[in-house]
Amino acid sequence: MLNSEHEAVATNLLKKMSLRQKIGQMAMAERLSVEPADVKRHGLGAVLSGGGSHPGGNAPEDWVRMNDAFWQAAMADDDAPGIPILYGCDAVHGHNNVQGATIFPHNIGLGAAGDARLVAEAARVTAREMLDSGLDWNFAPTLAVVQNCRWGRTYESFGNDPERVASYGRHYVEALQAEGIIGCVKHWVGDGGTRHGMDQGETTLPWQELESTHVAPYYPALQAGVMTLMVSFNSWNGEKCHGHRFLVTDLLKERLGFDGLVLSDWDGVNYLDEDYGTAIRLSVNAGLDMFMVPERWREFIDALEAQVRLGHVSTARIDDAVRRILRTKLRYGLFDMPRPAQRRGAGTGCTGSAEHRDVARRAVRESLVLLKNEGGLLPLGRHQRMLVAGKNAHNLGHQCGGWTRSWQGETGNDTLEGTSIWEGIRELAPHAQLSADGTGEDADSREHEVALVVIGETPYAEGFGDIRSGDALVVEAGSTVNGLMNPLEPYARSLELAESHPEDLACIRRIAAKGIPVVVVLVSGRPLAVGRELAASTAFVAAWLPGTEGGGIAEVLMGNADFKARLPLPWPGDADPDGAWPLFPAGYGLSYSRGGCGLLGA
Ligand code: BGC
Ligand code: BGC
C-alpha cells in the first residue's frame, strides 16, 4: 500500500535531483570498490558486502564504523539533497560474514525441521545480529524450490515443496522486517528449476508450471510486504530473467502489484549483451530498479546516462526506478534514522550471544533426519566408550558450509566460534575419544563399544558446488563461474559420495571391519548417493549444514531430544541418481518414538 506522505517526499526529491543523481541512486557498489566520498559525489543508492567482504577487524563495531562513514558522507551538506544510503549483505544463515556470529543451519536443514516458527526465530536472531552491526538490508530469504540436488545452491532452498517454501518465506520476511531489517526475496524466478541443476542455467517450463512451482512461493512474502526482490541469473525458456520484461514488469510489478525495489544480482546485467550500454538498457527497460554493479558502478552510471540521453531509456522509467528506491528508504524509515552507530539495536553486543546460540542449537536438533537405526543403536549412552572419527567430526568450517565468513566457506576451527560436533559429544559423553588423525585407524574393539563417524561434503557456494550430470559437465577446471576461475578438478564432485570423498567410506569400513558398530552423521548441503556408506553403517543421520552449534547433534544422538525432521526433498538411490525412484521419498524420517517407518502422517 502506498503511503501518500512518502510519495509526496519522493516526488519532491525527484524534482530536485539531476539525472546523474537519479542514476547514482540506481547503483549499488561493493565496499572494496567505493570510498565514502564517492557515495556523496555520485549519489550512490546502496553499498554491499559480497560474501566474506568485511571491514578490518570484522567485529560488529567495525561494521558499524564502516556504515557510519558511508552514511555520514551520504548526508554531508552541499547543494545536492542528502539521501541516506542502504547497506546490504547476504546473512543467509545467520549474520554469516561477521566474526563471532551465530550461524544457523542452512535453509535445507530448516526445511527438514518443518517448523515455520523456527524459521521466524532464526530470522529474528539474524536481524538482531545485523542491527548490532549497524546494517539495513539482508539479501534473504532465498525462495528457490530446488528440483535437482546437483545444484550447488540446493542448501539455500527450503526444499522441493512450493507450499513449504511459500510459508517459510513469509515467516522469514515478516520476522526479519518486524525486527527492523529489510528483506530481499530471491532469485526471481525459476532459479531452482534449471536443467541438470546447473547454477545460473536454463529453466525450461510452460508458464503454468513455472507459476505453480517457482512463482507461487513468492505470493505470501509479497503480501506480507517484503520491501525488495532480487532477480535471478537463470533464463526462462531461453530468455535471461535480467532482461525479462514480462517477468519483471508485467507479472511482478503490474499483475502482482509489487511496488518495492527490484534489485539485480551481482553483475547480472552483464550477461544480456556484449555491449554494456545495450545490456543496461535491456535490463532497465525490463523493469529492474537498482543494479548490483559491485566494481563497475562508475561505468554503469555513465552508460545508463548515455542511454537516457540517446532516448533508449525514458526519463519516466528512471523516475519510476528512483521512486521505488526512495519509497523503500522511506518505508524503512531511513530518512528519520540517526547515523548507524546511534540506531536502535546497534552495538548491543548481542552477536553470538548465548541466547542466540540456544535458538540455533534448537534448530540443529530439529533439523536432523534419521535415515537408519538398525537394532536401535541410537540413542547412545553417555557412559558408552565411543570413538569419534571422520573428517567432519571436528571442523566448524565444514559443518557451516558455504556463505560462512567467506563466500566459498571455511575449513578448520580457526576462523569460527562455535561448538564442533565432536565438542558437543565430549560435553555429554565424558568417555568419548576423538580419533587421533580422524581416520579411525586407532579404533579398537576392546576399547570402543561404538563409533561415531562424521563424514560428508566440504564447503562450496553457487556454481562451484554444481555436480556434473551425464554429458552435461557443469563445472570444468579452468572454466569460470561468475567470471572467477573455478578451482576444482574436472569431475571433482559426484552425486556419489564414495566417488568424491572415498576417504569417508574407507573410514566407516575400517572401523566396522573391527566389529564396532558405526553411527554415521552426514554433513552435506544436499542428499547424495550414499548406498555404500548406508550399507556399511548401523545408524545413519543426515545433518545437512548445521552451522556453529554442533552441540544440538550430540543432544539428539544421546537421546536428550528425539529426531523430528523429515526429508525436505527426495533422496536419490545409487542406481538412480536423478531421483526418479528415490531411495527415500520426501517426508521420510525415523525417530525414537515413531520407530520403524517415519513417513509423514505415519
Ligand atoms: C548471488 C546472490 C547474492 C549476491 C551478493 C550473487 O552471486 O547469486 O545470491 O545475494 O551474489 O553476494
Ligand atoms: C562475492 C559474492 C558474490 C560472487 C559473485 C564473490 O566475490 O563475494 O558475494 O556472490 O563474487 O561472483
Side-chain angles (χ1 to χ4, degrees):
M1 269 249 285
L2 296 185
N3 170 315
S4 53
E5 225 172 280
H6 292 169
E7 297 309 304
V9 175
T11 304
N12 218 353
L13 278 167
L14 279 165
K15 277 190 206 140
K16 293 189 202 145
M17 292 165 79
S18 69
L19 176 62
R20 271 191 87 82
Q21 280 162 350
K22 290 178 183 173
I23 294 175
Q25 282 296 304
M26 295 172 68
M28 171 187 269
E30 213 282 339
R31 56 170 284 281
L32 288 170
S33 305
V34 69
E35 292 296 327
D38 295 325
V39 166
K40 180 70 186 191
R41 194 171 320 125
H42 302 277
L44 297 183
V47 178
L48 91 145
S49 274
S53 174
H54 62 80
N58 199 11
E61 49 275 26
D62 299 308
W63 287 77
V64 174
R65 213 170 300 125
M66 170 187 68
N67 198 21
D68 238 23
F70 283 122
W71 188 90
Q72 279 179 311
M75 300 310 280
D77 243 354
D78 58 17
D79 359 309
I83 298 178
I85 188 125
L86 287 173
Y87 200 105
C89 69
D90 302 273
V92 296
H93 62 147
H95 190 15
N96 46 57
N97 290 305
V98 174
Q99 174 73 52
T102 306
I103 307 296
F104 281 84
H106 268 296
N107 286 349
I108 196 75
L110 298 181
D115 178 358
R117 282 163 313 180
L118 177 65
V119 173
E121 271 300 295
R124 228 167 268 135
V125 167
T126 304
R128 284 189 206 128
E129 298 203 358
M130 284 186 75
L131 290 173
D132 192 26
S133 288
L135 304 185
D136 310 293
W137 189 0
N138 189 2
F139 307 139
T142 296
L143 300 188
V145 181
V146 61
Q147 301 294 300
N148 186 330
C149 57
R150 294 173 185 281
W151 188 31
R153 305 191 80 157
T154 297
Y155 64 77
E156 295 184 60
S157 168
F158 292 117
N160 77 339
D161 173 12
E163 279 179 36
R164 175 169 305 190
V165 175
S167 157
Y168 292 9
R170 174 172 71 83
H171 280 84
Y172 191 103
V173 164
E174 281 175 349
L176 189 85
Q177 294 195 161
E179 281 299 315
I181 289 290
I182 300 173
C184 183
V185 283
K186 68 186 189 183
H187 308 79
W188 180 262
V189 60
D191 51 352
T194 58
R195 271 178 56 211
H196 305 298
M198 177 172 169
D199 192 42
Q200 310 189 358
E202 167 64 52
T203 296
T204 311
L205 283 177
W207 159 247
Q208 286 77 5
E209 275 176 55
L210 185 83
E211 195 275 334
S212 59
T213 306
H214 302 283
V215 175
Y218 283 80
Y219 299 157
L222 294 175
Q223 267 157 20
V226 67
M227 285 190 255
T228 74
L229 170 147
M230 189 188 294
V231 175
S232 189
F233 281 123
N234 68 271
S235 309
W236 176 44
N237 294 344
E239 208 183 314
K240 293 264 179 209
C241 293
H242 275 81
H244 215 299
R245 203 191 170 107
F246 167 76
L247 290 177
V248 178
T249 297
D250 302 353
L251 174 62
L252 176 68
K253 289 184 168 177
E254 282 163 17
R255 208 185 295 172
L256 301 177
F258 179 64
D259 58 18
L261 179 169
V262 177
L263 175 67
S264 86
D265 202 342
W266 183 285
D267 273 335
V269 36
N270 289 17
Y271 308 94
L272 296 180
D273 196 279
E274 280 177 18
D275 176 65
Y276 199 43
T278 306
I280 291 167
R281 161 164 58 87
L282 292 169
S283 207
V284 175
N285 286 342
L288 278 80
D289 303 313
M290 187 183 270
F291 291 78
M292 193 189 288
V293 278
E295 290 142 16
R296 295 180 88 170
W297 56 269
R298 283 194 175 82
E299 215 185 320
F300 168 83
I301 294 173
D302 291 341
L304 181 51
E305 188 186 9
Q307 292 294 316
V308 177
R309 304 250 181 247
L310 288 167
H312 293 160
V313 172
S314 70
T315 49
R317 177 70 267 275
I318 299 291
D319 282 354
D320 172 56
V322 179
R323 176 178 291 279
R324 285 165 178 272
I325 293 162
L326 297 174
R327 181 185 291 149
T328 301
K329 293 183 175 185
L330 287 157
R331 274 183 179 155
Y332 174 54
L334 192 61
F335 284 86
D336 301 321
M337 288 183 193
R339 63 192 179 90
Q342 289 168 356
R343 291 186 197 162
R344 181 184 64 81
T348 58
C350 71
T351 299
S353 70
E355 188 196 335
H356 289 179
R357 289 181 188 280
D358 272 352
V359 179
R361 199 171 68 237
R362 170 157 80 89
V364 173
R365 281 197 303 269
E366 299 189 358
S367 65
L368 308 173
V369 181
L370 179 61
L371 294 176
K372 176 179 181 181
N373 190 21
E374 229 170 65
L377 179 61
L378 289 174
L380 301 169
R382 57 178 286 125
H383 296 295
Q384 266 180 313
R385 288 171 292 124
M386 190 190 309
L387 182 72
V388 179
K391 67 167 187 285
N392 288 344
H394 186 43
N395 196 317
L396 282 171
H398 291 189
Q399 86 191 34
C400 288
W403 296 106
T404 312
R405 286 300 303 277
S406 52
W407 181 37
Q408 293 296 318
E410 302 286 287
T411 190
N413 298 308
D414 296 342
T415 52
L416 291 161
E417 288 162 38
T419 306
S420 74
I421 296 170
W422 152 247
E423 289 166 334
I425 294 285
R426 191 181 49 189
E427 273 173 31
L428 295 187
H431 304 297
Q433 179 197 334
L434 183 65
S435 166
D437 63 355
T439 65
E441 267 328 330
D442 44 355
D444 181 338
S445 59
R446 288 160 305 179
E447 270 179 57
H448 306 121
E449 297 162 73
V450 64
L452 180 66
V453 179
V454 188
I455 62 170
E457 292 188 309
T458 54
Y460 51 80
E462 302 190 40
F464 291 117
D466 282 358
I467 292 175
R468 74 191 157 94
S469 141
D471 58 351
L473 176 58
V474 173
V475 174
E476 273 183 82
S479 67
T480 59
V481 176
N482 287 0
L484 295 170
M485 285 300 285
N486 164 34
L488 296 178
E489 292 304 314
Y491 299 95
R493 293 190 196 280
S494 160
L495 211 51
E496 290 195 35
L497 183 64
E499 268 183 47
S500 38
H501 290 289
E503 71 280 8
D504 288 344
L505 182 59
C507 178
I508 300 169
R509 285 187 171 158
R510 185 175 298 126
I511 297 172
K514 296 182 180 169
I516 304 169
V518 173
V519 177
V520 167
V521 171
L522 175 70
V523 171
S524 70
R526 54 187 152 204
L528 294 164
V530 289
R532 282 170 278 182
E533 293 81 357
L534 266 165
S537 58
T538 306
F540 198 103
V541 176
W544 315 108
L545 297 170
T548 47
E549 304 317 305
I553 294 177
E555 291 178 275
V556 178
L557 294 180
M558 315 293 298
N560 295 2
D562 200 354
F563 287 94
K564 58 163 282 200
R566 324 283 188 122
L567 294 179
L569 72 179
W571 195 287
D574 286 21
D576 173 41
D578 285 319
W581 296 99
L583 183 61
F584 304 110
Y588 186 84
L590 308 172
S591 77
Y592 299 138
S593 52
R594 291 188 305 266
C597 174
L599 270 180
L600 264 184

